[in-house]
């Protein structure tokens, strides 16, 4: 296989503490990376790089792992511009929220939905995202949820069944009947097309007992749990996530000391989604509190048409540093290795021999510029699985 070296990297983020300066980022100065096929085969000082077939001079710019976006909702149609405009104008809004997107998604063709996913993925790729998870949840019928997962599976292996996004409008007067559908015929139709199962455990969506039933049923079908937890209020979601060994508890905005301790002591990743707080003017999650408790923290976009319509992890990094108490080092780790941990992957989110060759070359000498220069397009090149794609 052809080998390629990227040399004269001012600062290389490896996310391997055994390399470089020994920090969690494993920073190597004046570094090089060698790619063979779809894998990293060597990292180290540029002056010690082995001979390769091709060489690309980074010319004193930084290289980081490709971003890992472990929480998105990309299978949808339409948008909710009016809802956002009303919210930002201080007006009460009662147009139906998620139900608006459900109606538009049900009416869309497979081709329209797939084109939408491809569009937002291309947008994310240009901003350095090389791995992403996405969910169903805007169909809420057996046919529409299975269709959403099939479409998602054309674009990523990290597919999540979220039939339990809200109680379907069709079951507004029978939420127990909808839980039976989600854990019965809908699960049967959807399980073959997903890796994960998720539930929105929140007032107005699904309570703790319903969420436990849904996630337990999914686990019996081979799907691993993840949970929308504690976004809008204090609730049982985080504790349930840790109890069921969920890969991640996502949002984590309203946490008790017991919730923080559980996340600090368990293997469930706390995935923070600052785009949602930005777009809804809600309380920011306290990342510092979680990190100081020893929790593993991921940063993701929550890209969806209602509460966080951004595909930019650099934007989320800037928000996390400015408003959530994270350092630039912690934020870049959480958007790469943290996202990988939330997907229980060890082959992505790092630049070390054996890892998948997902790299981002920044038009800046350091990863710190992602927070230091918010809103500036700093991604100069992207490699995914060893192939340059941007």
């Amino acid at each position: 296989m052809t080998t390629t070296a990227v040399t004269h990297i001012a600062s290389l983020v490896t996310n391997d503490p055994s390399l470089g300066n020994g920090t969690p980022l494993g920073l190597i100065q004046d570094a090089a990376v060698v790619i063979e096929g779809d894998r990293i085969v060597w990292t180290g000082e540029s002056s010690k790089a082995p001979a390769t077939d091709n060489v690309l001079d980074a010319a004193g710019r930084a290289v980081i792992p490709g971003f890992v976006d472990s929480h998105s909702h990309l299978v949808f149609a339409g948008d909710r511009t009016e809802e956002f405009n009303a919210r930002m104008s201080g007006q009460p809004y009662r147009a139906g929220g998620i139900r608006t997107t459900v109606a538009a998604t049900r009416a869309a063709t497979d081709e329209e939905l797939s084109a939408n996913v491809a569009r937002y993925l291309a947008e994310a790729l240009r901003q350095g995202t090389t791995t992403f998870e996405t969910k169903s949840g805007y169909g809420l019928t057996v046919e529409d949820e299975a269709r959403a997962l099939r479409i998602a599976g054309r674009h990523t292996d990290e597919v999540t069944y979220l039939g339990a996004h809200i109680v379907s409008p069709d079951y507004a007067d029978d939420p127990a009947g909808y839980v039976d559908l989600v854990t019965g015929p809908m699960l049967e139709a959807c399980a073959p097309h997903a890796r994960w199962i998720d539930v929105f455990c929140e007032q107005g969506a699904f309570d703790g007992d319903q969420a436990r039933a849904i996630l337990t049923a999914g686990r019996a079908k081979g799907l691993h749990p993840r949970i929308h937890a504690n976004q809008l209020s204090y609730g049982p979601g985080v504790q349930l996530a840790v109890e069921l060994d969920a890969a991640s508890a996502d949002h984590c905005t309203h946490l008790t000391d017991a919730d923080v301790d559980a996340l600090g002591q368990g293997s469930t990743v706390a995935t923070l989604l600052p785009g949602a707080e930005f777009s809804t003017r809600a309380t920011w999650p306290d990342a510092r509190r979680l990190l100081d408790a020893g929790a593993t923290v991921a940063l993701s976009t929550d890209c969806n048409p209602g509460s966080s319509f951004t595909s930019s992890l650099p934007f989320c990094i800037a928000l996390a540093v400015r408003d959530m108490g994270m350092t630039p080092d912690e934020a870049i780790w959480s958007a790469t290795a943290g996202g990988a941990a939330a997907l229980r992957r060890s082959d992505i989110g790092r630049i070390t021999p054996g890892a998948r060759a997902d790299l981002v070359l920044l038009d800046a000498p350091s990863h710190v510029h992602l927070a230091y220069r918010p809103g500036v397009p700093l991604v100069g090149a992207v490699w995914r699985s060893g192939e340059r794609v941007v």
Side-chain angles (χ1 to χ4, degrees):
M1 288 184 285
T2 301
T3 55
T4 300
V6 183
T7 62
H8 301 114
I9 299 166
S11 178
L12 173 67
V13 174
T14 68
N15 288 336
D16 184 342
S18 71
L19 301 174
N21 65 356
T23 68
L25 292 192
L27 286 172
I28 305 175
Q29 307 299 327
D30 191 16
V33 175
V34 176
I35 301 167
E36 182 176 5
D38 66 350
R39 297 285 148 176
I40 303 292
V41 294
W42 187 89
T43 59
E45 296 176 12
S46 192
S47 61
K48 300 177 181 177
T52 56
D53 300 310
N54 303 300
V55 177
L56 186 147
D57 189 342
R61 292 175 287 176
V63 170
I64 64 174
F67 295 122
V68 180
D69 192 343
S70 61
H71 184 126
S72 74
H73 303 250
L74 298 184
V75 187
F76 69 88
D79 70 19
R80 279 148 62 186
T81 306
E82 292 182 12
E83 176 184 335
F84 178 79
N85 190 40
R87 191 164 64 232
M88 294 299 107
S89 302
Q91 302 169 17
Y93 187 77
R94 301 181 181 87
I98 291 172
R99 291 171 180 80
T100 303
T101 301
V102 169
T105 303
R106 288 178 178 181
T109 66
D110 288 13
E111 292 72 24
E112 289 168 338
L113 293 175
S114 188
N116 240 16
V117 175
R119 170 189 171 190
Y120 296 119
L121 289 186
E123 187 178 274
L125 185 63
R126 291 193 297 271
Q127 297 171 91
T129 298
T130 52
T131 302
F132 74 98
E133 175 270 2
T134 201
K135 310 176 193 295
S136 64
Y138 291 124
L140 309 186
T141 68
V142 172
E143 179 181 345
D144 286 305
E145 286 296 294
R147 175 175 78 133
L149 296 173
R150 288 195 302 270
I151 290 168
R154 299 174 190 171
H155 303 275
T156 180
D157 293 332
E158 300 294 349
V159 177
T160 301
Y161 165 46
L162 182 61
H165 199 179
I166 59 169
V167 174
S168 169
D170 309 322
Y171 284 79
D173 298 323
D174 185 16
Y178 187 64
V179 171
D180 289 342
L181 181 72
V182 167
T183 57
M186 189 182 287
L187 176 60
E188 290 287 338
C190 290
H193 307 291
R195 181 183 178 200
W196 307 97
I197 184 167
D198 199 342
V199 59
F200 188 18
C201 184
E202 187 64 67
Q203 293 179 17
F206 299 90
D207 64 26
D209 290 339
Q210 292 169 326
R212 179 181 284 102
I214 290 164
L215 296 176
T216 301
R219 194 166 59 177
K221 283 291 185 180
L223 304 182
H224 202 87
R226 38 196 338 110
I227 308 180
H228 284 62
N230 300 54
Q231 177 186 3
L232 305 177
S233 60
Y234 295 97
V238 163
Q239 296 290 337
L240 182 60
V242 174
E243 174 194 330
L244 296 180
D245 188 35
S248 64
D250 297 13
H251 289 288
C252 293
T253 307
H254 300 276
L255 301 179
T256 65
D257 289 344
D259 293 332
V260 174
D261 289 344
L263 289 166
Q265 295 168 18
S267 61
T268 296
V269 174
T271 299
L272 307 183
L273 308 166
E277 280 71 38
F278 177 87
S279 295
T280 60
R281 291 180 173 158
T283 301
W284 296 101
D286 189 346
R288 181 82 272 131
R289 185 180 174 205
L290 286 162
L291 291 163
D292 289 348
T296 301
V297 173
L299 283 177
S300 293
T301 63
D302 192 19
C303 186
N304 75 83
S307 61
S308 184
F309 206 1
T310 180
S311 59
S312 175
L313 267 167
F315 173 64
C316 292
I317 286 170
L319 292 179
V321 171
R322 169 63 178 80
D323 292 304
M324 288 164 43
M326 300 185 86
T327 67
D329 283 10
E330 289 165 341
I332 190 73
W333 189 95
S334 293
T336 52
L343 296 174
R344 299 207 164 162
R345 298 272 298 270
S346 60
D347 60 325
I348 55 175
R350 58 196 182 99
I351 300 175
T352 190
R356 199 171 78 182
D358 294 350
L359 294 79
V360 176
L361 176 66
L362 299 177
D363 288 328
S366 166
H367 65 279
V368 176
H369 281 237
L370 291 165
Y372 180 43
R373 305 196 67 208
V376 177
L378 294 179
V379 173
V382 180
W383 287 261
R384 184 172 57 193
S385 296
E387 179 183 356
R388 185 168 176 177
V389 289
V390 173

